[in-house]
Amino acid sequence: MAQRSWMCTVCGWMYDEAQGVPELGIEPGTPFEDLPEDFLCPECGAGKEAFELAAD
């Protein structure tokens, strides 16, 4: 499956599945769906429900 990017609709921060967020313990290659349910945007604190799949 291709790696995707997800954008926080509150602040615009991007979660790139290929890069992960190693500083938060999220390994590169982690699908968005596999992030913890309590994942918060590191920029603004919005929850997973605030993210949408970014256009390629």
Side-chain angles (χ1 to χ4, degrees), residues 6-48:
W6 296 79
M7 183 180 73
C8 176
T9 60
V10 176
C11 73
W13 183 81
M14 299 292 291
Y15 173 68
D16 183 337
E17 293 178 342
Q19 294 180 355
V21 190
E23 61 271 21
L24 298 180
I26 301 169
E27 296 295 321
T30 302
F32 184 79
E33 293 84 2
D34 291 349
L35 295 178
E37 285 305 311
D38 62 353
F39 174 80
L40 299 176
C41 174
E43 289 293 315
C44 72
K48 281 179 75 173

